[in-house]
Amino acid sequence: MKIAAIIAEYNPFHLGHKYQVDAIREQLGDDTAIVAIMSGNFTQRGELAIADKTVRARAAIDSGVNLVLELPFPFSMSSAELFAQSGVRIANALGVVDYLVFGSECGDIDELASIAEVMMSVEYSLMLDSLSSDPLLKEFGYPELCSIALNNIYGKEVSRDFYSPNNILAIEYIKALKKENSGIIAYTIKRKGAGYLDSHNDDLQFQSATSIRSAIIGKQHSAFDYIPKNAKEVFVEAILEGKMPSNSARLDLAVISSLRLNSPSDWVDIHDAGGGLYNRLCDISAEATSISDLVSLAETKKYTKARIRRAIWNTYFGVTSSDVKGLPRYTQVLAMDTVGQTVLREIKKMSDFPVITKPSSFRDYDFDVISQKELSNKADSVYALTLDVPNSGRFALKFTPYVKR
C-alpha cells in the first residue's frame, strides 16, 4: 500500500478536490491510502474557514480521503512558505508517507523543481535582499520582488501567469521537502477549471473554492452543484444545524476594540505584522468599524490583503514570531475511515511525533506541544462564536474524531 499526503484546506471540499483524490488513485494505484493534512479553523490567506474543521474533515472522509490530520493554528494561517514548511514537517514526521501530492497550474514537476532549485540558491537570496533594500522598489510586495529576482536568474522568462497561488505553493512544497532532507516524492497533478480566486464561471465544471464559498454565504443552492454528493450531505446538515457558514463579522467589534486599546510600538513582536504593519493597524483602527474596513484601509502594494488579515488575527491572539519558529510540534486526528485507522496504527509504529487522537489529552505531551495546542484551542474557542449556533468554547477539547465504518 502506497501512502500519499495532501496538504489542503478543503474550504469547502469540492469537485476539484474529488478529482485530485480520484487522480491520485488512478495514477499511483487503487490501493493508495490518502492522508490529508488539513488546515484548522483559520486558513492560509487569513480568513476563517467556512465550516468548522470537524465538519470539513468528515466531508473529506466521506468523499474518499482516508485520514484527516490537522495543520494547526497559527501555522495554517501563514505565508505560503511557512504554510508549506509546516505541512511538510508533519508529513515527513509521520514516517509513513511515500508521496506528497499537490495541484498546480503548471502540471510539470520538473519545471517546478528547477524553479525551486533557483529560489533556494545563494544568488537568488542575495538578489532578493538587494531588491528589498532598493528605495525605488519600496512599494513592491514580497511576491513581486520574488518574481523580479527569479526572472533575473532563472535563464528564461517566467510569465506573470505562472505566479498563481497553487504554483507558488507547489514550489514551496518542493523547497520544504529539500530542507527536510525528506525521502517523500513530490508529485503534482495539473489543476482543472477555475483558479483559486476566480469568480463563478458557468462554463466550468470545477469552480473555485472562493466562488463556492460566496454562493454558500449567499444561500445559493447552485453552490452544491460543484460539491460531491457525500460532501454536500455533510455541509447541508451543518447549515441546517446553524454550524455553517462562519461569519467573521461577528467578531468585528471585538477585533477593532482590541486594536484601539493597543498602542503603536517599535518593540512589539507580532508574527506577520513587522515592517510597520502593526503600528499601521493600530492607527487605522481609529477609523475602521469592521475587519473588512480595516483590511481595505490598510492595503498597499507592500501589504496584501492576505498579509493584513493574518496580521490582524495574529495581533488579536498575540501570536509572536517565536510561536511559529519551531514549526508544528504535533498534529491531531480529525476524521478517518477503516483504511485511515490502519495508516494511523502504522504511524504510531514508525514515528514518535505526537499525533493526538483524544483532544483533551494534549497535556500528556511536552511543553512545546502544550503551548502550541493551547494557542490553537484559544483560536478555536473564538472561531466558535462566528457560527449561527455557536459551539461551546471547549468544543475543540471535547469532540470525538469521526470514524467512517
Side-chain angles (χ1 to χ4, degrees):
M1 178 177 67
K2 302 184 187 76
I3 299 177
I6 303 170
I7 301 168
E9 293 184 331
Y10 293 154
N11 186 34
F13 193 98
H14 55 64
L15 288 176
H17 298 131
K18 177 63 175 169
Y19 165 79
Q20 184 186 51
V21 168
D22 292 342
I24 288 171
R25 294 200 172 101
E26 181 180 319
Q27 296 177 30
L28 298 181
D30 289 341
D31 65 341
T32 303
I34 298 176
V35 178
I37 300 167
M38 188 191 78
S39 297
N41 291 328
F42 289 78
T43 66
Q44 195 259 322
R45 297 179 65 80
E47 298 172 327
L48 276 64
I50 194 167
D52 180 87
K53 58 191 179 186
T54 59
V55 173
R56 289 180 289 119
R58 178 170 183 167
I61 293 296
D62 285 354
S63 302
V65 175
N66 300 116
L67 175 64
V68 179
L69 303 176
E70 182 178 2
L71 176 57
F73 177 89
F75 304 99
S76 63
M77 190 190 69
S78 298
S79 66
E81 181 178 20
L82 182 55
F83 179 89
Q85 287 178 353
S86 300
V88 167
R89 170 60 58 86
I90 292 173
N92 196 56
L94 298 178
V96 300
V97 175
D98 300 302
Y99 295 90
L100 179 68
V101 183
F102 42 84
S104 66
E105 283 78 11
C106 171
D108 184 337
I109 194 66
D110 292 331
E111 182 176 5
L112 292 168
S114 65
I115 291 176
E117 195 72 36
V118 170
M119 295 179 76
M120 294 182 72
S121 68
V122 173
E123 184 182 5
Y124 175 85
S125 180
L126 291 173
M127 179 165 289
L128 191 58
D129 287 344
S130 175
L131 293 171
S132 299
S133 61
D134 188 335
L136 297 177
L137 302 175
K138 65 179 181 180
E139 294 301 319
F140 279 57
Y142 183 73
E144 286 78 11
L145 296 178
C146 289
S147 172
I148 295 170
L150 178 62
N151 277 330
N152 282 337
I153 296 173
Y154 186 47
K156 62 179 181 179
E157 187 75 13
V158 179
S159 71
R160 182 63 189 168
D161 291 342
F162 183 85
Y163 295 96
S164 63
N166 289 288
N167 280 348
I168 290 170
L169 268 176
I171 292 168
E172 294 299 340
Y173 291 140
I174 295 169
K175 288 168 57 182
L177 286 170
K178 289 180 179 292
K179 289 177 181 177
E180 289 279 334
N181 293 315
S182 176
I184 296 173
I185 299 169
Y187 193 95
T188 192
I189 293 174
K190 187 173 179 62
R191 293 183 77 257
K192 292 186 176 182
Y196 180 82
L197 297 175
D198 288 352
S199 55
H200 181 80
N201 184 335
D202 285 331
D203 296 329
L204 296 177
Q205 177 187 5
F206 301 123
Q207 298 293 327
S208 71
T210 301
S211 69
I212 294 171
R213 286 195 301 272
S214 295
I216 291 173
I217 291 168
K219 299 182 179 180
Q220 300 173 28
H221 193 269
S222 61
F224 295 103
D225 294 341
Y226 307 99
I227 291 176
K229 178 179 179 294
N230 291 346
K232 173 184 174 180
E233 292 173 357
V234 174
F235 293 139
V236 168
E237 179 182 338
I239 290 171
L240 292 175
E241 292 177 352
K243 301 300 182 183
M244 177 183 174
S246 65
N247 181 3
S248 63
R250 290 190 168 95
L251 300 176
D252 280 347
L253 297 183
V255 169
I256 296 299
S257 62
S258 174
L259 280 167
R260 289 184 182 185
L261 290 171
N262 288 347
S263 301
S265 170
D266 293 332
W267 303 103
V268 172
D269 174 23
I270 296 295
H271 177 58
D272 248 346
L277 181 53
Y278 169 81
N279 288 344
R280 182 173 176 80
L281 292 174
C282 289
D283 181 56
I284 290 175
S285 67
E287 305 171 40
T289 57
S290 69
I291 296 170
S292 60
D293 278 352
L294 191 61
V295 172
S296 296
L297 289 169
E299 184 184 16
T300 64
K301 288 184 179 180
K302 182 179 180 181
Y303 301 127
T304 64
K305 287 184 177 179
R307 166 83 182 276
I308 293 165
R309 285 190 294 264
R310 291 195 296 263
I312 289 169
W313 292 118
N314 284 332
T315 301
Y316 186 70
F317 290 113
V319 180
T320 66
S321 56
S322 61
D323 288 325
V324 300
K325 188 175 182 180
L327 295 180
R329 300 298 181 90
Y330 79 97
T331 184
Q332 72 172 346
V333 177
L334 297 178
M336 56 190 157
D337 63 8
T338 53
V339 173
Q341 288 178 306
T342 300
V343 173
L344 183 59
R345 286 193 291 270
E346 194 65 18
I347 291 170
K348 297 288 187 179
K349 289 180 188 175
M350 300 298 295
S351 173
D352 59 1
F353 186 75
V355 179
I356 299 171
T357 53
K358 184 181 179 182
S360 61
S361 69
F362 73 93
R363 294 185 182 87
D364 297 339
Y365 295 91
D366 64 28
F367 174 80
D368 289 332
V369 173
I370 292 171
S371 297
Q372 287 190 0
K373 188 66 169 66
E374 285 181 339
L375 181 56
S376 181
N377 289 343
K378 288 178 182 178
D380 286 343
S381 70
V382 171
Y383 174 90
L385 298 173
T386 69
L387 306 175
D388 283 348
V389 179
N391 284 330
S392 161
R394 294 187 174 87
F395 176 74
L397 290 172
K398 293 183 175 181
F399 79 90
T400 300
Y402 168 65
V403 180
K404 180 184 178 184
R405 303 294 181 184

